[in-house]
């Protein structure tokens, strides 16, 4: 007889929500994840346990998803998630902007949109806001860890780097990350400096 997936994950079937389910899943899986690479029967048994836990999470999550649909409440973020999966990030942003209740999940999805657009600093800030609202949510913590690994936690300035090497300020303008000086700029600077020197009794450019 197949075990109840909620029992396997150690959560209350009647009261658990999606975030709590995910957290419980990550915690119990971590207990066996390293051991599954051990040699002999211990490793094989741990591998079977991890497989059971993965299946239990999939089954329990499907049950919770079905409950949301049946209750008629729906998932207020469903359309945003659909647009993100389809790669339509502008539509996802519009849908997200229409939601006035800015929960931790709202910040998480905003982070995903920013990440998909390559705005990694903004994405990181939204993840940090999500974690501050829901500090026990492992999904948000995992996402932040992956983002920091990808970016090396490097760019913490007031601008975001675009994929073409320029930077995007918060006003949306593109700013080059290098400053090119022309020959005219150099000449103008020298002439100005020479005038200053002559006023003080010196001569920077002897021919002038």
């Amino acid at each position: 007889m197949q075990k109840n997936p909620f029992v396997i994950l150690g959560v209350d079937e009647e009261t658990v929500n999606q975030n709590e389910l995910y957290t419980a899943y990550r915690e119990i899986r971590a207990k066996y994840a390293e051991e599954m690479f051990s040699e002999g029967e211990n490793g094989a048994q741990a591998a079977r346990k991890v497989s059971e836990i993965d299946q239990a999470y999939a089954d329990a999550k499907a049950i919770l998803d079905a409950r949301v649909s049946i209750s008629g409440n729906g998932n207020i973020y469903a359309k945003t998630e659909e647009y993100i999966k389809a790669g339509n990030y502008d539509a996802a942003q519009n849908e997200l902007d229409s939601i006035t209740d800015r929960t931790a999940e709202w910040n998480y999805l905003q982070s995903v949109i920013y990440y998909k657009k390559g705005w990694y600093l903004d994405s990181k800030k939204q993840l940090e806001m999500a974690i501050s609202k829901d500090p026990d949510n492992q999904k948000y913590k995992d996402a932040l860890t992956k983002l920091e690994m990808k970016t090396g936690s490097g760019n913490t300035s007031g601008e975001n780097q675009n994929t073409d090497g320029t930077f995007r300020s918060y006003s949306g303008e593109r700013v080059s990350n290098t400053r090119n000086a022309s020959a005219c700029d150099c000449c103008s600077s020298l002439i100005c400096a020479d005038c200053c020197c002559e006023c003080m009794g010196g001569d920077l450019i002897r021919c002038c």
Side-chain angles (χ1 to χ4, degrees), residues 164-181:
D164 61 359
T166 61
F167 286 82
R168 183 183 61 80
S169 67
Y170 288 118
S171 63
E173 297 177 348
R174 287 180 176 266
V175 183
S176 173
N177 60 348
T178 58
R179 182 174 180 178
N180 298 321

Side-chain angles (χ1 to χ4, degrees), residues 43-153:
Q45 185 175 353
R48 288 194 293 269
K49 189 66 178 177
V50 168
S51 179
E52 180 185 47
I53 292 168
D54 287 344
Q55 186 59 52
Y57 175 69
D59 293 342
K61 186 175 185 302
I63 291 172
L64 291 186
D65 288 341
R67 284 179 185 172
V68 171
S69 298
I70 292 172
S71 67
N73 294 327
N75 177 4
I76 60 173
Y77 300 113
K79 277 192 170 295
T80 301
E81 292 169 350
E82 288 177 10
Y83 285 132
I84 291 174
K85 289 177 181 178
N88 192 345
Y89 306 128
D90 288 337
Q93 185 66 66
N94 290 336
E95 189 66 32
L96 198 61
D97 288 342
S98 69
I99 300 172
T100 56
D101 186 13
R102 304 295 170 88
T103 64
E105 187 68 11
W106 189 97
N107 293 113
Y108 170 74
L109 290 173
Q110 181 66 86
S111 170
V112 173
I113 294 172
Y114 284 156
Y115 178 85
K116 294 293 187 180
K117 290 185 174 183
W119 301 347
Y120 300 134
L121 179 61
D122 288 343
S123 178
K124 182 173 182 287
K125 287 183 176 180
Q126 290 296 326
L127 273 177
E128 289 171 343
M129 290 176 65
I131 292 172
S132 70
K133 293 177 182 179
D134 189 1
D136 296 325
N137 191 303
Q138 192 60 42
K139 179 176 70 171
Y140 304 156
K141 293 178 182 179
D142 289 345
L144 181 59
T145 298
K146 291 177 182 178
L147 177 59
E148 289 176 339
M149 288 177 64
K150 178 178 178 63
T151 62
S153 299

